Amino acid sequence: MNTIEQKDSWETIIEPKSSLLDLKINELVRYRDLLFLFVRRDLVAQYKQTILGPLWYVIQPLLTTLTYTLIFGNVAGLSTDGLPKILFYLSGITCWRYFSDSLTKTSDTFTKNAQVFGKVYFPRAVMPIATTITNLVTFGIQLCLFLIFLAYYRFSGQFEGTIQIEVLLFPALVFIMMLLGLGFGFVLSALTTKYRDLKFLVTFGVQLLMYGTPVIYPLSAIPAEYRVFILANPMTPIIESFRYMFLGTGNLDYSHLIYSAIFSVLLFVIGLAIFNKTEKNFMDTV
């Protein structure tokens, strides 16, 4: 009788996973304090002990935008669809950085946190989700920077475009990017536990993928016969839609956007299954 009462009073029950697609939402909610602790840690630690500190959240996209403006806009003379170069490149960089940071920073979840995972139990998905939320905060800061430049160009008369009503779909864009980055991160984090060479290829591959995305050029500048290959990239409709929503120039095609959404959901589900399977025995390979 005492044994039964003691069992009922236990607060933590560790159970084997029953499904590869089980995200264990209840556990994530229960460990929300730990989740936000990781988010705070990542935000504070990223630029800790640097001279400029959080200003780097703004300086980095600014320097990248100025470099692209100089190299691709002025030297190479690439089209910006009639938009001011600063606004064009900053809009692409803002979206791309959120996706690429979510992907690269979650791709080494198991190898980077092997010591922690081996000592204490908590839902392993907390780590990549915390990374994605941290990147969401960074994305918010850089979006504010973009809006400041947009307001400056608009009120100084250098740009006459207006924000479109479709901007109401912006949260959906962010959610698709989140699923996309997290899905790729889940898959790569599982693969890098066995194939360590991949971690060297991830950054290089993401850089190459950027050139296959309309970050430094508009989709309209691509010849029609090659456009299908660029549109196969699920980030293409997202960046084009972002530009259309905020700048009034770009291509917002709902069929392309639905393709990106379906691709992201499928990738997230597959990535989650691989992540959960790897979680069970990754300590044997890390």
Side-chain angles (χ1 to χ4, degrees):
M1 185 65 182
N2 291 336
T3 304
I4 295 175
E5 290 177 352
Q6 184 180 10
K7 183 178 180 180
D8 291 340
S9 65
W10 288 346
E11 295 181 353
T12 302
I13 301 175
I14 301 177
E15 299 174 327
K17 283 188 177 295
S18 58
S19 170
L20 292 178
L21 300 181
D22 187 4
L23 191 56
K24 295 230 170 187
I25 300 296
N26 292 336
E27 278 198 353
L28 290 177
V29 172
R30 191 143 42 97
Y31 282 84
R32 61 186 180 281
D33 291 339
L34 181 64
L35 176 66
F36 290 114
L37 186 65
F38 283 139
V39 172
R40 183 179 179 279
R41 180 203 63 178
D42 292 343
L43 283 172
V44 173
Q46 191 165 5
Y47 297 114
K48 192 174 184 180
Q49 295 183 337
T50 60
I51 295 175
L52 298 177
L55 284 177
W56 282 110
Y57 287 117
V58 175
I59 294 174
Q60 281 190 330
L62 268 182
L63 290 179
T64 307
T65 300
L66 291 176
T67 303
Y68 285 2
T69 300
L70 178 64
I71 302 299
F72 298 115
N74 295 338
V75 177
L78 296 182
S79 168
T80 59
D81 248 357
L83 294 171
K85 295 182 178 67
I86 295 288
L87 290 181
F88 179 84
Y89 292 117
L90 190 56
S91 61
I93 289 168
T94 301
C95 290
W96 181 256
R97 280 182 66 90
Y98 177 57
F99 164 72
S100 62
D101 284 351
S102 296
L103 192 161
T104 54
K105 291 180 180 177
T106 57
S107 64
D108 58 352
T109 297
F110 286 115
T111 53
K112 186 178 178 182
N113 302 287
Q115 291 186 341
V116 178
F117 287 172
K119 292 178 180 176
V120 62
Y121 174 79
F122 59 89
R124 304 312 189 210
V126 163
M127 283 288 191
I129 291 175
T131 301
T132 306
I133 294 176
T134 304
N135 292 331
L136 191 61
V137 176
T138 306
F139 175 71
I141 295 171
Q142 294 173 357
L143 179 65
C144 290
L145 176 68
F146 167 73
L147 293 176
I148 290 171
F149 272 93
L150 176 59
Y152 167 76
Y153 275 88
R154 185 70 179 85
F155 291 112
S156 65
Q158 300 180 57
F159 174 63
E160 297 180 351
T162 56
I163 295 178
Q164 307 297 308
I165 186 65
E166 286 83 357
V167 77
L168 295 174
L169 293 174
F170 176 64
L173 280 190
V174 178
F175 186 65
I176 294 172
M177 281 194 290
M178 182 186 296
L179 288 184
L180 203 56
L182 204 52
F184 274 120
F186 276 156
V187 173
L188 291 172
S189 64
L191 293 177
T192 51
T193 59
K194 287 186 178 179
Y195 310 104
R196 300 299 180 88
D197 292 355
L198 276 177
K199 68 180 181 183
F200 300 108
L201 292 175
V202 169
T203 305
F204 179 66
V206 169
Q207 189 68 27
L208 285 181
L209 185 62
M210 189 198 75
Y211 293 112
T213 310
V215 174
I216 59 174
Y217 54 82
L219 182 63
S220 59
I222 302 298
E225 61 267 31
Y226 300 118
R227 202 168 294 174
V228 64
F229 298 107
I230 302 297
L231 284 170
N233 180 348
M235 277 300 293
T236 296
I238 294 174
I239 292 180
E240 284 289 312
S241 299
F242 180 86
R243 287 198 177 113
Y244 179 80
M245 290 175 183
F246 287 93
L247 302 174
T249 302
N251 178 32
L252 196 160
D253 188 313
Y254 287 107
S255 62
H256 296 160
L257 212 50
I258 291 173
Y259 159 74
S260 292
I262 293 175
F263 186 100
S264 303
V265 171
L266 289 177
L267 181 66
F268 177 79
V269 171
I270 294 171
L272 178 62
I274 295 174
F275 185 88
N276 284 340
K277 184 178 180 181
T278 305
E279 179 189 341
K280 295 178 180 178
N281 54 12
F282 79 97
M283 288 304 297
D284 298 331
T285 54
V286 170

